Amino acid sequence: MWLSKIKKALLPEPESVRRVRGLLAEAYRTSTKLELEPLSQPSLHKLVLIASIEDVRENEIIISQPLVGALNHPLATGEHFRLLFTSKSFGHLSGKTESLGRIEIESAEARMIYGYRMSLPASLRIVDRRRKLRVSFGSGPPPSAALYTRRKCIPLRGTVQDLTPAGMLIRVLHKGEQELELGQKVHLSVHLPEPVGSISVEVTVVRLAPSSNRVNNYIGVTFVREIEGLETLIKRLQNPPNTLKKAS
């Protein structure tokens, strides 16, 4: 074993590893948020976790405790994720990472908080923006949504956690009159920012999952028809004016 460590120390580090570390270090310097998609959830709407980079080390990165909406989401050691972030030079980048365990880190306010050690991705690839249009409402009040299983029923009420041109993920806050089933058609009422505004449309239930606190549920739905202005809205939310001004 010691011989292999000596060989590793003597061999030059692959250029791809230095490039990955450099891009993540750039994301750290610019306070770019990370998205983590659990690879163990093969459904259409995975939980999208939001975290910030706290440090970039030789073989790992340190991230803040991930959030789903406003809730902390614990990571299991050995859990695998798809990591996504935006680079100023290359656009949307994606790579695979693994949770290496929880760690205590010092926050900007000089107090100790919990974070996670994550493996350095072996490589990063450029993601097609058109296929990866997604916005997560990790900060600020998320839009409220209501799901109706039939007319004049008490709806399932919740908040929109993430949004794509194909559908959305809703965290249920109040139960309605009827439990949902995968593939079921229901009616969605939600008010989104302009240029979409208030919509009342039919959707299909494609995901049903408990949240980490086992109190609320997550419901993924896809739109039956295309929503006008939704792609424009997502792009606008991904690149708010103040963020663009700061980056320049």
Side-chain angles (χ1 to χ4, degrees), residues 21-39:
R21 190 186 299 115
L23 287 167
L24 285 166
E26 177 188 286
Y28 167 60
R29 289 192 299 270
T30 56
S31 301
T32 299
K33 294 294 184 182
L34 298 181
E35 292 186 7
L36 296 171
E37 296 181 353
L39 293 178

Side-chain angles (χ1 to χ4, degrees), residues 149 178-186 204-208:
T149 56
Q178 182 179 333
E179 292 293 327
L180 300 182
E181 298 178 355
L182 292 176
Q184 183 178 355
K185 294 284 194 302
V186 296
T204 303
V205 178
V206 295
R207 174 177 172 76
L208 296 169

Side-chain angles (χ1 to χ4, degrees), residues 122-243:
S123 61
L124 294 171
R125 63 183 183 87
I126 298 175
V127 179
D128 187 345
R129 288 181 66 100
R130 293 168 297 179
R131 293 187 300 169
K132 279 296 174 184
L133 279 176
R134 177 195 297 273
V135 63
S136 299
F137 295 92
S139 61
S144 298
L147 293 171
Y148 296 83
T149 56
R150 59 183 184 274
R151 301 189 72 177
K152 297 183 179 180
C153 73
I154 298 175
L156 288 159
R157 296 190 181 276
T159 56
V160 180
Q161 298 301 291
D162 73 62
L163 185 64
T164 74
M168 64 176 59
L169 183 69
I170 299 167
R171 181 167 69 93
V172 176
L173 303 177
H174 303 288
K175 294 288 187 181
E177 292 181 339
Q178 182 179 333
E179 292 293 327
L180 300 182
E181 298 178 355
L182 292 176
Q184 183 178 355
K185 294 284 194 302
V186 296
H187 203 81
L188 167 70
S189 178
V190 62
H191 181 78
L192 297 173
E194 296 297 336
V196 178
S198 296
I199 58 173
S200 184
V201 294
E202 188 179 36
V203 294
T204 303
V205 178
V206 295
R207 174 177 172 76
L208 296 169
S211 66
S212 58
N213 60 13
R214 299 183 180 180
V215 175
N216 302 306
N217 292 327
Y218 289 101
I219 300 175
V221 299
T222 56
F223 302 118
V224 172
R225 61 175 178 82
E226 184 177 345
I227 306 300
E228 185 177 353
L230 187 54
E231 189 168 317
T232 300
L233 168 63
I234 294 171
K235 289 179 179 179
R236 184 177 297 170
L237 291 173
Q238 285 180 327
N239 300 284
N242 59 335
T243 301

Side-chain angles (χ1 to χ4, degrees), residues 52 117 198:
S52 59
R117 297 168 51 234
S198 296

